Amino acid sequence: MSLSLGDRLAVAHAALGRSVVAINPHAEEDALHKHSGYLTIGLKDTAAIPKWLIDALLGSEDHLVLTIDKMSDLGRSIDTELVNPLTYRCMTGSSSGGAINVLKGINDVCVGTDGGGSVLAPALATNLYAIMGQGAGLATSGGVSTDNMPFKMGAGFIGNSFAAVLEMLVFALQVKGDSAEGISETIGCMTGTAAVAEEVRSFVVGIPKRQTAAAPDGGDMGERCYEALSLLEDCQPHIIETEFDDIYRRMSTVENLRALWEKNPDFLVMDIEGPIDVFSYDETIPWGFAGSAPKLVAGIRSKALCKAINIVGGSAVVIPSTELATGILIACGPGVKQLQNACKLAYLLDVRRRLPPYLARYFLDRTKAHKSLKLFG
């Protein structure tokens, strides 16, 4: 179940000035010209989103642009003005408002930009789905990270279902004039898993080497990946334990990923990231100050691959985990085929595990939606 357009607008108006920057004043009229089952869309409040993509969405009969979504101040990886509805902590950025508006049922998908994790990390922090497609050609303007690493922005999508973000990826590739044939075939396979499973069996998937990388809660990242991949017991890919110099240090992880993909362009890299920004905030800025406070507020790192993939020029898919503010991340090198393979692996993992019932009831399915009084308009 999803909210009616009227209910979405009511929730959006309640969030105006917080996660919502602006609401389409013609939304109800525009909806009359849309196909049944259209997706409601939020756009991150940044000029870095390609104009061709915005124009295409505004003219599409399958999409209704409903909101402009808040981004964190200066594009920071923490938004100190918004609260994550799941963790009660400051929201992860910089596509902060967009993820919250999807979680609250206002939009099915938000369009964001990712420099060093600004699409992937907010999705992980809110147990949502995401695809970031720089490696498939969805690149925008350039920038420099807080640790002085140059990059091109990658466009990406955060959504309430895997089908929704995959549909947005196909739409963007087709509008851009690039081949989306492989991704479209992936959507066609979603009616059954047999053909996908057969392909996944031939994939090579790297995971963090066991006993070399710890999750924020102290768990072993490699062991968590093995546990997740055990769901594919009938179609296990070839798993390679991969050692990173320091998976949380962006500069070295960029170099590690680049070397992996230069050696094997089809190599997929998977980890389970999170809890994101729960035990402390994983942001660079506090470490620019002296004293003991930086360790207190930012001493427990939680963002690993997610903040390096775009800088390398890769793509990634995120599906939610059963753990709070945590997700399964599958990264791939440049190429549409590579992203197609990442999507297929993500799809199989997604359909073979159950999400926490409260996540569906309160957020993804909105079966416990609030009904406004509407006394004065």
Side-chain angles (χ1 to χ4, degrees), residues 170-213:
V170 171
F171 176 80
L173 289 175
Q174 290 176 337
V175 170
K176 191 172 180 289
D178 294 337
S179 173
E181 182 178 352
I183 305 293
S184 298
E185 288 174 358
T186 303
I187 292 179
C189 290
M190 298 310 174
T191 55
T193 61
V196 179
E198 186 62 32
E199 287 192 65
V200 166
R201 193 177 287 113
S202 68
F203 292 172
V204 179
V205 179
I207 65 172
K209 184 178 180 180
R210 285 175 288 188
Q211 300 183 359
T212 66

Side-chain angles (χ1 to χ4, degrees), residues 159-314:
N160 57 15
S161 71
F162 186 60
V165 292
L166 196 60
E167 190 275 334
M168 284 294 294
L169 174 63
V170 171
F171 176 80
L173 289 175
Q174 290 176 337
V175 170
K176 191 172 180 289
D178 294 337
S179 173
E181 182 178 352
I183 305 293
S184 298
E185 288 174 358
T186 303
I187 292 179
C189 290
M190 298 310 174
T191 55
T193 61
V196 179
E198 186 62 32
E199 287 192 65
V200 166
R201 193 177 287 113
S202 68
F203 292 172
V204 179
V205 179
I207 65 172
K209 184 178 180 180
R210 285 175 288 188
Q211 300 183 359
T212 66
D217 59 5
D220 186 274
M221 293 180 76
E223 293 288 358
R224 292 167 74 179
C225 289
Y226 270 114
E227 183 180 352
L229 288 167
S230 69
L231 295 171
L232 309 180
E233 56 184 357
D234 60 324
C235 56
Q236 276 277 349
H238 181 53
I239 302 170
I240 297 180
E241 294 194 28
T242 305
E243 191 163 0
F244 291 85
D245 295 332
D246 179 350
I247 200 167
Y248 291 108
R249 184 171 176 266
R250 178 156 44 195
M251 190 172 297
S252 63
T253 300
V254 164
E255 294 306 318
N256 292 155
L257 289 174
R258 182 174 287 122
L260 288 170
W261 289 331
E262 286 177 352
K263 183 177 180 180
N264 181 359
D266 295 329
F267 194 80
L268 299 178
V269 184
M270 169 180 158
D271 76 342
I272 298 179
E273 299 208 4
I276 300 290
D277 294 326
V278 172
F279 302 115
S280 77
Y281 297 109
D282 190 347
E283 190 185 41
T284 305
I285 290 176
W287 292 103
F289 294 83
S292 60
K295 186 175 181 180
L296 178 67
V297 300
I300 299 178
R301 300 178 297 176
S302 56
K303 299 165 187 169
L305 297 180
C306 70
K307 62 186 181 185
I309 298 161
N310 180 75
I311 293 176
V312 190

Side-chain angles (χ1 to χ4, degrees), residues 43-264:
L43 300 176
K44 183 178 180 179
D45 188 20
T46 172
I49 295 178
K51 186 175 184 301
W52 58 262
L53 180 55
I54 296 174
D55 290 343
L57 287 169
L58 290 172
S60 169
E61 294 180 331
D62 296 312
H63 306 90
L64 174 63
V65 177
L66 195 58
T67 61
I68 304 300
D69 302 326
K70 184 182 181 300
M71 69 173 285
S72 59
D73 185 39
L74 302 176
R76 291 176 58 182
S77 62
I78 297 295
D79 192 330
T80 58
E81 298 169 347
L82 293 178
V83 174
N84 184 328
L86 295 183
T87 65
Y88 328 134
R89 305 294 195 268
C90 289
M91 182 57 195
T92 303
S94 65
S95 302
S96 47
I100 290 176
N101 293 339
V102 171
L103 196 63
K104 296 178 73 171
I106 297 170
N107 293 313
D108 298 307
V109 180
C110 69
V111 181
T113 54
D114 191 304
S118 290
V119 166
L120 301 174
L124 290 162
T126 48
N127 288 83
L128 291 172
Y129 297 82
I131 295 178
M132 189 279 294
Q134 154 127 221
L138 299 184
T140 67
S141 57
V144 178
S145 69
T146 50
D147 41 8
N148 295 315
M149 299 192 74
F151 59 83
K152 283 187 176 180
M153 290 275 189
F157 314 103
I158 300 173
N160 57 15
S161 71
F162 186 60
V165 292
L166 196 60
E167 190 275 334
M168 284 294 294
L169 174 63
V170 171
F171 176 80
L173 289 175
Q174 290 176 337
V175 170
K176 191 172 180 289
D178 294 337
S179 173
E181 182 178 352
I183 305 293
S184 298
E185 288 174 358
T186 303
I187 292 179
C189 290
M190 298 310 174
T191 55
T193 61
V196 179
E198 186 62 32
E199 287 192 65
V200 166
R201 193 177 287 113
S202 68
F203 292 172
V204 179
V205 179
I207 65 172
K209 184 178 180 180
R210 285 175 288 188
Q211 300 183 359
T212 66
D217 59 5
D220 186 274
M221 293 180 76
E223 293 288 358
R224 292 167 74 179
C225 289
Y226 270 114
E227 183 180 352
L229 288 167
S230 69
L231 295 171
L232 309 180
E233 56 184 357
D234 60 324
C235 56
Q236 276 277 349
H238 181 53
I239 302 170
I240 297 180
E241 294 194 28
T242 305
E243 191 163 0
F244 291 85
D245 295 332
D246 179 350
I247 200 167
Y248 291 108
R249 184 171 176 266
R250 178 156 44 195
M251 190 172 297
S252 63
T253 300
V254 164
E255 294 306 318
N256 292 155
L257 289 174
R258 182 174 287 122
L260 288 170
W261 289 331
E262 286 177 352
K263 183 177 180 180
N264 181 359

Side-chain angles (χ1 to χ4, degrees), residues 135-137 173 178-183 332-341:
L173 289 175
D178 294 337
S179 173
E181 182 178 352
I183 305 293
C332 62
V336 173
K337 174 196 169 187
Q338 284 72 13
L339 183 51
Q340 175 191 5
N341 290 344

